[in-house]
Amino acid sequence: MQMNVSQQLKESIGSIRNYELSEIVNIAGTSSMVQGEIRLTRTDRGILVKGTLHTEVEVTCSRCLSLFNCPLALNIEEEYFPITDVVSGAPLPLPEEPVCFTIDEHHVLDLTEAIRQYVLLAIPMKPLCREDCTGLCTSCGHNLNQEPCNCPPQGTDPRWSELSKLVSAVDLRVNEGKEQNK
Ligand SMILES: [Zn+2]
Ligand SMILES: [Zn+2]
């Protein structure tokens, strides 16, 4: 995801380049295909990168715990600042923003780190392999997307509720015992 922008840095403010990207990028230890179109615009300070990139990363479903490929759309908008003057080669002061992306001394603009950061932000907090994922059975742990399990429906069979009362009573006694031993 590297582009040499030395020519564009010599152009006047507002000059535009469009790039079609299609590249494998290493994100968090795995290689993912990143594709899309971005537009580079010359600004008074550097180059503004804007566009939407598409990729997929492997994540764990928060309900059924299976691995699946989660498609992500990255709406990139970042200004890149050159660290050296393209004409004189003199070092340039960086803006005072706490974090900023830079164009290196060879006038190469590298999108990889920005893509990595956008991916981490785009991954949902609770990913779902599909909207209607039925998840795992809370009793036996079976993946209910594959087929129903043989567990009785919860809260309907009185024998199970009696048993669970017994279990919690035993738990209580065990805990009390621990308290007394202290
Ligand atoms: Zn799932
Ligand atoms: Zn079950």
Side-chain angles (χ1 to χ4, degrees), residues 60-66 68 127-130 132-136 143 145:
T60 306
C61 175
S62 60
R63 271 190 212 152
C64 71
L65 307 181
S66 61
F68 70 101
L128 288 180
C129 63
R130 52 184 220 217
D132 59 347
C133 170
T134 45
L136 304 176
N143 187 340
N145 292 314

PDB file of all heavy atoms in Angstrom, residues 60-66 68 127-130 132-136 143 145, ligand 1:
ATOM      1  N   THR A  60     -14.210 -14.064  15.690  1.00  0.00           N
ATOM      2  CA  THR A  60     -14.992 -15.097  16.378  1.00  0.00           C
ATOM      3  C   THR A  60     -16.390 -14.576  16.634  1.00  0.00           C
ATOM      4  O   THR A  60     -16.566 -13.493  17.194  1.00  0.00           O
ATOM      5  CB  THR A  60     -14.310 -15.451  17.720  1.00  0.00           C
ATOM      6  OG1 THR A  60     -12.961 -15.803  17.451  1.00  0.00           O
ATOM      7  CG2 THR A  60     -15.014 -16.610  18.394  1.00  0.00           C
ATOM      8  N   CYS A  61     -17.396 -15.356  16.253  1.00  0.00           N
ATOM      9  CA  CYS A  61     -18.788 -14.969  16.495  1.00  0.00           C
ATOM     10  C   CYS A  61     -19.023 -14.899  18.010  1.00  0.00           C
ATOM     11  O   CYS A  61     -18.639 -15.801  18.752  1.00  0.00           O
ATOM     12  CB  CYS A  61     -19.729 -15.978  15.856  1.00  0.00           C
ATOM     13  SG  CYS A  61     -21.466 -15.659  16.240  1.00  0.00           S
ATOM     14  N   SER A  62     -19.672 -13.824  18.459  1.00  0.00           N
ATOM     15  CA  SER A  62     -19.858 -13.641  19.902  1.00  0.00           C
ATOM     16  C   SER A  62     -20.947 -14.558  20.459  1.00  0.00           C
ATOM     17  O   SER A  62     -21.057 -14.717  21.663  1.00  0.00           O
ATOM     18  CB  SER A  62     -20.200 -12.185  20.201  1.00  0.00           C
ATOM     19  OG  SER A  62     -21.384 -11.826  19.534  1.00  0.00           O
ATOM     20  N   ARG A  63     -21.767 -15.164  19.581  1.00  0.00           N
ATOM     21  CA  ARG A  63     -22.810 -16.074  20.083  1.00  0.00           C
ATOM     22  C   ARG A  63     -22.429 -17.538  19.969  1.00  0.00           C
ATOM     23  O   ARG A  63     -22.610 -18.297  20.920  1.00  0.00           O
ATOM     24  CB  ARG A  63     -24.105 -15.853  19.282  1.00  0.00           C
ATOM     25  CG  ARG A  63     -24.983 -14.791  19.882  1.00  0.00           C
ATOM     26  CD  ARG A  63     -26.336 -14.769  19.221  1.00  0.00           C
ATOM     27  NE  ARG A  63     -26.863 -13.417  19.212  1.00  0.00           N
ATOM     28  CZ  ARG A  63     -27.697 -12.951  18.322  1.00  0.00           C
ATOM     29  NH1 ARG A  63     -28.120 -13.732  17.340  1.00  0.00           N
ATOM     30  NH2 ARG A  63     -28.127 -11.718  18.381  1.00  0.00           N
ATOM     31  N   CYS A  64     -21.908 -17.944  18.800  1.00  0.00           N
ATOM     32  CA  CYS A  64     -21.657 -19.386  18.629  1.00  0.00           C
ATOM     33  C   CYS A  64     -20.166 -19.715  18.666  1.00  0.00           C
ATOM     34  O   CYS A  64     -19.793 -20.878  18.567  1.00  0.00           O
ATOM     35  CB  CYS A  64     -22.279 -19.886  17.332  1.00  0.00           C
ATOM     36  SG  CYS A  64     -21.445 -19.305  15.857  1.00  0.00           S
ATOM     37  N   LEU A  65     -19.313 -18.671  18.816  1.00  0.00           N
ATOM     38  CA  LEU A  65     -17.874 -18.839  18.983  1.00  0.00           C
ATOM     39  C   LEU A  65     -17.177 -19.461  17.775  1.00  0.00           C
ATOM     40  O   LEU A  65     -16.034 -19.900  17.871  1.00  0.00           O
ATOM     41  CB  LEU A  65     -17.543 -19.672  20.244  1.00  0.00           C
ATOM     42  CG  LEU A  65     -18.164 -19.181  21.551  1.00  0.00           C
ATOM     43  CD1 LEU A  65     -17.733 -20.069  22.699  1.00  0.00           C
ATOM     44  CD2 LEU A  65     -17.791 -17.728  21.837  1.00  0.00           C
ATOM     45  N   SER A  66     -17.851 -19.501  16.615  1.00  0.00           N
ATOM     46  CA  SER A  66     -17.174 -20.031  15.435  1.00  0.00           C
ATOM     47  C   SER A  66     -16.426 -18.902  14.733  1.00  0.00           C
ATOM     48  O   SER A  66     -16.783 -17.732  14.844  1.00  0.00           O
ATOM     49  CB  SER A  66     -18.183 -20.682  14.491  1.00  0.00           C
ATOM     50  OG  SER A  66     -19.116 -19.724  14.068  1.00  0.00           O
ATOM     51  N   PHE A  68     -15.366 -16.766  11.550  1.00  0.00           N
ATOM     52  CA  PHE A  68     -15.939 -16.453  10.232  1.00  0.00           C
ATOM     53  C   PHE A  68     -15.278 -15.199   9.674  1.00  0.00           C
ATOM     54  O   PHE A  68     -14.639 -14.440  10.410  1.00  0.00           O
ATOM     55  CB  PHE A  68     -17.461 -16.281  10.334  1.00  0.00           C
ATOM     56  CG  PHE A  68     -17.878 -15.019  11.067  1.00  0.00           C
ATOM     57  CD1 PHE A  68     -18.294 -13.892  10.358  1.00  0.00           C
ATOM     58  CD2 PHE A  68     -17.838 -14.949  12.442  1.00  0.00           C
ATOM     59  CE1 PHE A  68     -18.664 -12.729  11.023  1.00  0.00           C
ATOM     60  CE2 PHE A  68     -18.214 -13.787  13.111  1.00  0.00           C
ATOM     61  CZ  PHE A  68     -18.633 -12.687  12.409  1.00  0.00           C
ATOM     62  N   PRO A 127     -19.208  -9.383  17.230  1.00  0.00           N
ATOM     63  CA  PRO A 127     -19.431  -9.854  15.859  1.00  0.00           C
ATOM     64  C   PRO A 127     -20.429 -11.012  15.831  1.00  0.00           C
ATOM     65  O   PRO A 127     -20.452 -11.837  16.743  1.00  0.00           O
ATOM     66  CB  PRO A 127     -18.047 -10.341  15.409  1.00  0.00           C
ATOM     67  CG  PRO A 127     -17.084  -9.962  16.472  1.00  0.00           C
ATOM     68  CD  PRO A 127     -17.870  -9.695  17.720  1.00  0.00           C
ATOM     69  N   LEU A 128     -21.259 -11.057  14.800  1.00  0.00           N
ATOM     70  CA  LEU A 128     -22.191 -12.162  14.603  1.00  0.00           C
ATOM     71  C   LEU A 128     -21.923 -12.792  13.244  1.00  0.00           C
ATOM     72  O   LEU A 128     -21.816 -12.081  12.249  1.00  0.00           O
ATOM     73  CB  LEU A 128     -23.641 -11.667  14.634  1.00  0.00           C
ATOM     74  CG  LEU A 128     -24.188 -11.242  15.996  1.00  0.00           C
ATOM     75  CD1 LEU A 128     -25.634 -10.787  15.845  1.00  0.00           C
ATOM     76  CD2 LEU A 128     -24.090 -12.388  16.994  1.00  0.00           C
ATOM     77  N   CYS A 129     -21.812 -14.142  13.227  1.00  0.00           N
ATOM     78  CA  CYS A 129     -21.537 -14.834  11.969  1.00  0.00           C
ATOM     79  C   CYS A 129     -22.681 -14.618  10.986  1.00  0.00           C
ATOM     80  O   CYS A 129     -22.488 -14.616   9.787  1.00  0.00           O
ATOM     81  CB  CYS A 129     -21.292 -16.317  12.219  1.00  0.00           C
ATOM     82  SG  CYS A 129     -22.700 -17.184  12.912  1.00  0.00           S
ATOM     83  N   ARG A 130     -23.903 -14.443  11.505  1.00  0.00           N
ATOM     84  CA  ARG A 130     -25.052 -14.055  10.702  1.00  0.00           C
ATOM     85  C   ARG A 130     -26.079 -13.422  11.630  1.00  0.00           C
ATOM     86  O   ARG A 130     -26.068 -13.704  12.847  1.00  0.00           O
ATOM     87  CB  ARG A 130     -25.640 -15.239   9.943  1.00  0.00           C
ATOM     88  CG  ARG A 130     -25.938 -16.439  10.828  1.00  0.00           C
ATOM     89  CD  ARG A 130     -26.414 -17.613  10.016  1.00  0.00           C
ATOM     90  NE  ARG A 130     -27.493 -18.294  10.716  1.00  0.00           N
ATOM     91  CZ  ARG A 130     -27.650 -19.617  10.715  1.00  0.00           C
ATOM     92  NH1 ARG A 130     -26.812 -20.373  10.039  1.00  0.00           N
ATOM     93  NH2 ARG A 130     -28.654 -20.169  11.357  1.00  0.00           N
ATOM     94  N   ASP A 132     -29.120 -13.926  12.345  1.00  0.00           N
ATOM     95  CA  ASP A 132     -29.984 -14.795  13.146  1.00  0.00           C
ATOM     96  C   ASP A 132     -29.211 -15.966  13.756  1.00  0.00           C
ATOM     97  O   ASP A 132     -29.767 -17.046  13.949  1.00  0.00           O
ATOM     98  CB  ASP A 132     -31.146 -15.320  12.278  1.00  0.00           C
ATOM     99  CG  ASP A 132     -30.650 -16.102  11.077  1.00  0.00           C
ATOM    100  OD1 ASP A 132     -29.432 -16.031  10.790  1.00  0.00           O
ATOM    101  OD2 ASP A 132     -31.455 -16.778  10.420  1.00  0.00           O
ATOM    102  N   CYS A 133     -27.945 -15.750  14.051  1.00  0.00           N
ATOM    103  CA  CYS A 133     -27.152 -16.813  14.673  1.00  0.00           C
ATOM    104  C   CYS A 133     -27.867 -17.271  15.949  1.00  0.00           C
ATOM    105  O   CYS A 133     -28.208 -16.457  16.805  1.00  0.00           O
ATOM    106  CB  CYS A 133     -25.751 -16.320  15.013  1.00  0.00           C
ATOM    107  SG  CYS A 133     -24.825 -17.489  16.032  1.00  0.00           S
ATOM    108  N   THR A 134     -28.093 -18.583  16.085  1.00  0.00           N
ATOM    109  CA  THR A 134     -28.822 -19.086  17.245  1.00  0.00           C
ATOM    110  C   THR A 134     -27.907 -19.399  18.424  1.00  0.00           C
ATOM    111  O   THR A 134     -28.369 -19.727  19.507  1.00  0.00           O
ATOM    112  CB  THR A 134     -29.636 -20.347  16.870  1.00  0.00           C
ATOM    113  OG1 THR A 134     -28.801 -21.194  16.093  1.00  0.00           O
ATOM    114  CG2 THR A 134     -30.867 -19.988  16.078  1.00  0.00           C
ATOM    115  N   GLY A 135     -26.596 -19.333  18.195  1.00  0.00           N
ATOM    116  CA  GLY A 135     -25.648 -19.467  19.299  1.00  0.00           C
ATOM    117  C   GLY A 135     -25.509 -20.879  19.836  1.00  0.00           C
ATOM    118  O   GLY A 135     -25.870 -21.855  19.183  1.00  0.00           O
ATOM    119  N   LEU A 136     -24.983 -20.960  21.055  1.00  0.00           N
ATOM    120  CA  LEU A 136     -24.740 -22.262  21.681  1.00  0.00           C
ATOM    121  C   LEU A 136     -25.801 -22.554  22.731  1.00  0.00           C
ATOM    122  O   LEU A 136     -26.303 -21.650  23.385  1.00  0.00           O
ATOM    123  CB  LEU A 136     -23.372 -22.254  22.368  1.00  0.00           C
ATOM    124  CG  LEU A 136     -22.164 -21.907  21.509  1.00  0.00           C
ATOM    125  CD1 LEU A 136     -20.905 -21.858  22.376  1.00  0.00           C
ATOM    126  CD2 LEU A 136     -21.986 -22.905  20.380  1.00  0.00           C
ATOM    127  N   ASN A 143     -23.586 -26.262  19.201  1.00  0.00           N
ATOM    128  CA  ASN A 143     -23.844 -25.159  18.268  1.00  0.00           C
ATOM    129  C   ASN A 143     -25.215 -25.355  17.614  1.00  0.00           C
ATOM    130  O   ASN A 143     -25.410 -26.240  16.791  1.00  0.00           O
ATOM    131  CB  ASN A 143     -22.744 -25.117  17.205  1.00  0.00           C
ATOM    132  CG  ASN A 143     -22.876 -23.895  16.314  1.00  0.00           C
ATOM    133  OD1 ASN A 143     -23.943 -23.282  16.217  1.00  0.00           O
ATOM    134  ND2 ASN A 143     -21.789 -23.537  15.667  1.00  0.00           N
ATOM    135  N   ASN A 145     -26.740 -23.678  15.467  1.00  0.00           N
ATOM    136  CA  ASN A 145     -26.859 -23.371  14.030  1.00  0.00           C
ATOM    137  C   ASN A 145     -26.811 -24.652  13.212  1.00  0.00           C
ATOM    138  O   ASN A 145     -27.322 -24.718  12.104  1.00  0.00           O
ATOM    139  CB  ASN A 145     -25.714 -22.463  13.580  1.00  0.00           C
ATOM    140  CG  ASN A 145     -25.818 -21.085  14.197  1.00  0.00           C
ATOM    141  OD1 ASN A 145     -26.890 -20.501  14.200  1.00  0.00           O
ATOM    142  ND2 ASN A 145     -24.719 -20.583  14.715  1.00  0.00           N
TER     143      ASN A 145
HETATM  144 ZN    ZN B   1     -22.574 -17.339  15.257  1.00  0.00          ZN
END
